[in-house]
Amino acid sequence: MSQLLQTIEKETGANPTVAIIWMHGLGADANDFVPMLHELDLSGLPAIRFIFPNADTMPVTINGGYVMRAWYDIVNTDLGRQEDEAGLRASQAKVEALIAREKARGIPANRIILAGFSQGCAMTLQTGMRQPEKLAGMMCLSGYVPIAAKAAAEHTPQSLATPIFMVHGQMDPVIPIARATQSRDLLKQLGYNVEWHDYYMQHSLCQEEVVHISAWLKRVLLG
């Protein structure tokens, strides 16, 4: 078995009973979303272990072959064309190894949330839709369903019970909002429970989004 991805871990209390595996975007790293923990309202929630993994480094075609942290290669600005299926599936296996480690540490699947921004969002959906057990949730920030036709065919019945939080910037120049709404509509057609928000922003985060994330976490973890 391949080595586990490097991670940064932050626990909000002793003996956490919830795990959130939060994946960064293209060219970022595990540190990217650590500061957000101070912005989220986690009051009333049980102790949470936040796991921020580092994607491996690879040459990224769209960036001239420059080597950077990436969950999969991007070949074309049209994200639906020439998708790196092999890279997506390889990273999926690495995310699943992190899920398995949390289960081994005593946190059941239904108390594990997958989260991610941009490429990390794509990995959240790539992995979460194929899980043999219900997860606590999928938190999908500024991303899309990759290899969508195969995702539709490969999603598991168990994953349909996993709630999805999906948000996007109305003026996103990196992943057009049309791609995100197509993904949202596909997820709804398949039978997923999707909470959707879009914001007056580009490929980033905003304060309103942080408020909505906090509220959603409370719904799925306390409900």
Side-chain angles (χ1 to χ4, degrees):
M1 183 178 158
S2 61
Q3 246 183 332
L4 278 173
L5 293 171
Q6 298 174 325
T7 58
I8 294 172
E9 293 189 7
K10 301 286 182 183
E11 297 183 355
T12 63
N15 305 312
T17 57
V18 173
I20 299 180
I21 300 170
W22 198 324
M23 290 164 277
H24 62 75
L26 177 67
D29 64 22
N31 294 289
D32 204 27
F33 283 95
V34 174
M36 263 201 72
L37 300 193
H38 302 294
E39 298 181 41
L40 293 171
D41 175 10
L42 303 175
S43 58
L45 289 174
I48 300 171
R49 177 183 295 127
F50 284 91
I51 300 121
F52 301 97
N54 266 329
D56 290 334
T57 57
M58 66 173 70
V60 175
T61 303
I62 203 169
N63 290 337
Y66 188 79
V67 174
M68 60 181 63
R69 292 201 182 278
W71 296 101
Y72 51 92
D73 192 18
I74 303 281
V75 180
N76 197 297
T77 50
D78 179 352
L79 295 168
R81 290 178 56 204
Q82 296 175 273
E83 291 187 87
D84 176 18
E85 183 177 339
L88 281 156
R89 294 191 189 278
S91 285
Q92 177 190 335
K94 291 175 180 177
V95 176
E96 287 174 340
L98 294 176
I99 295 172
R101 182 176 68 174
E102 290 316 298
K103 289 165 68 175
R105 291 201 278 191
I107 297 182
N110 67 2
R111 300 298 278 170
I112 297 172
I113 290 174
L114 294 181
F117 175 79
S118 196
Q119 267 205 348
C121 168
M123 286 312 309
T124 292
L125 290 160
Q126 171 73 21
T127 308
M129 293 175 72
R130 293 166 172 82
Q131 289 311 292
E133 299 174 274
K134 175 192 181 295
L135 300 177
M138 295 182 241
M139 191 167 82
C140 305
L141 313 179
S142 298
Y144 59 95
V145 176
I147 49 173
K150 295 195 175 178
E154 295 172 2
H155 78 282
T156 62
Q158 296 91 332
S159 74
L160 290 172
T162 302
I164 297 176
F165 176 85
M166 194 169 190
V167 299
H168 215 85
Q170 295 161 5
M171 303 167 295
D172 192 327
V174 178
I175 300 170
I177 191 168
R179 181 73 196 273
T181 55
Q182 285 169 2
S183 293
R184 174 201 65 194
D185 294 347
L186 170 66
L187 291 165
K188 286 185 169 183
Q189 286 163 14
L190 292 173
Y192 288 95
N193 174 17
V194 182
E195 177 179 330
W196 167 269
H197 301 276
D198 54 73
Y199 310 105
Y200 188 70
M201 66 176 186
Q202 297 191 358
H203 196 60
S204 58
L205 292 100
C206 65
Q207 185 55 39
E208 189 182 5
E209 179 178 355
V210 173
V211 171
H212 286 150
I213 290 170
S214 301
W216 179 78
L217 287 173
K218 290 183 180 184
R219 273 197 296 281
V220 297
L221 294 175
L222 299 177

